[in-house]
Amino acid sequence: MKIYAISDLHLSFSRAPDPLNWGDSPEYKPMVEVDESWAAHASRIYENWTRIVTDDDVVLVGGDISWAMRLEEARPDLHFLGLLPGLIVAVQGNHDYWWQSISRVRAMAPPNMRLIQNDHIRLGDLVICGTRGWLCPNGAFFKDEDMKIYRRELIRLRNSLESVQGSAEEIIVMMHYMPTNEKHEYSGFIEIFQEYGVKHVVYGHLHARACRYRLPDQAWGINFYLTSADYLSFTPRLIMNWPPC
């Protein structure tokens, strides 16, 4: 089994897409209008994903899945994910406004998709935990009102890790936000990772020039992986083989 990751899919299909005819699958918010590098990005994700991922593999999707505002509007984008091979494990991103009631979202999710919110996914001795995350204190854009959300996300991360019953040989934490500020200062998220022995953290949210703020590949004894779709050229990134070779 291979563990891949890719985040920030930013899908916006108006109806269920057909991989044999992408032209018949209009987008109501084409990302190419924001950045030309996103041209035909959904079909590129599909082609790259189906080329390398098998049904025995797992793909971690770290939020910003759909531009939909309401759950029903996200149905075509969730249908798209259902067309892809592998088990998809996802957390919420800051633009996933359609992700409100976790029970309703899980009911609409395709059979190959699992969602994490205050809990985890166990794959034998490998456990996947996670939360959305938020801006971290002392960052350039952090405001007083962000502190409440930041603290809530620390609680959700701890809840996810606390939900793991029994031993785990390895824990991967997936987040949407980078778990530090842009100066890479120690944060409550890093403290929790260290407390629970987390060695692998995947995150997204950073795009284009903002990718220069990404964390180093290793810090505080933790391996960090930026998995924003555009940063990865719309190709899922291999995180590890499981069990390790």
Side-chain angles (χ1 to χ4, degrees), residues 190-236:
I190 304 301
E191 182 179 4
I192 294 174
F193 297 155
Q194 292 182 321
E195 180 181 344
Y196 287 86
V198 174
K199 300 299 183 185
H200 302 275
V201 175
V202 302
Y203 66 98
H205 188 64
L206 301 180
H207 301 291
R209 287 176 54 82
C211 290
R212 69 185 186 276
Y213 296 119
R214 68 187 182 276
L215 283 161
D217 292 343
Q218 291 186 326
W220 302 289
I222 303 167
N223 299 306
F224 293 100
Y225 310 84
L226 174 59
T227 61
S228 303
D230 52 329
Y231 179 72
L232 300 182
S233 299
F234 307 99
T235 305

Side-chain angles (χ1 to χ4, degrees), residues 49-237:
W49 188 314
T50 56
R51 174 173 51 84
I52 64 175
V53 178
T54 74
D55 285 333
D56 295 326
D57 298 329
V58 176
V59 182
L60 311 180
V61 177
D64 277 8
I65 298 164
S66 170
W67 281 112
M69 299 297 293
R70 294 184 293 273
L71 180 56
E72 184 59 35
E73 294 172 350
R75 187 183 294 274
D77 299 330
L78 295 174
H79 173 84
F80 170 83
L81 296 178
L83 299 175
L84 298 168
L87 175 68
I88 298 171
V89 181
V91 294
Q92 185 180 18
N94 63 305
H95 289 298
D96 289 320
Y97 297 110
W98 52 277
W99 185 320
Q100 297 293 326
S101 165
I102 186 62
S103 59
R104 292 186 59 224
V105 175
R106 283 173 171 157
M108 186 177 285
N112 65 329
M113 190 174 185
R114 304 289 183 271
L115 310 174
I116 293 177
Q117 186 169 306
N118 290 309
D119 53 9
H120 68 280
I121 301 297
R122 178 177 284 276
L123 305 168
D125 289 332
L126 175 67
V127 171
I128 313 297
C129 294
T131 191
R132 178 185 62 182
W134 197 248
L135 300 173
C136 290
N138 204 31
F141 299 101
F142 191 87
K143 300 177 181 178
D144 290 343
E145 54 265 34
D146 289 312
M147 184 59 74
K148 180 179 179 179
I149 305 174
Y150 168 75
R151 289 173 173 165
R152 185 186 67 194
E153 287 299 311
L154 291 178
I155 292 171
R156 287 182 170 178
L157 174 60
R158 186 176 294 278
N159 287 345
S160 178
L161 289 160
E162 279 290 321
S163 73
V164 179
Q165 301 296 316
S167 62
E169 186 173 339
E170 196 74 77
I171 298 175
I172 299 176
V173 166
M174 53 189 304
M175 298 179 63
H176 179 63
Y177 283 86
M178 184 171 69
T180 71
N181 60 30
E182 74 280 1
K183 292 173 280 189
H184 302 164
E185 294 177 333
Y186 194 79
S187 72
F189 295 116
I190 304 301
E191 182 179 4
I192 294 174
F193 297 155
Q194 292 182 321
E195 180 181 344
Y196 287 86
V198 174
K199 300 299 183 185
H200 302 275
V201 175
V202 302
Y203 66 98
H205 188 64
L206 301 180
H207 301 291
R209 287 176 54 82
C211 290
R212 69 185 186 276
Y213 296 119
R214 68 187 182 276
L215 283 161
D217 292 343
Q218 291 186 326
W220 302 289
I222 303 167
N223 299 306
F224 293 100
Y225 310 84
L226 174 59
T227 61
S228 303
D230 52 329
Y231 179 72
L232 300 182
S233 299
F234 307 99
T235 305
R237 175 179 180 177

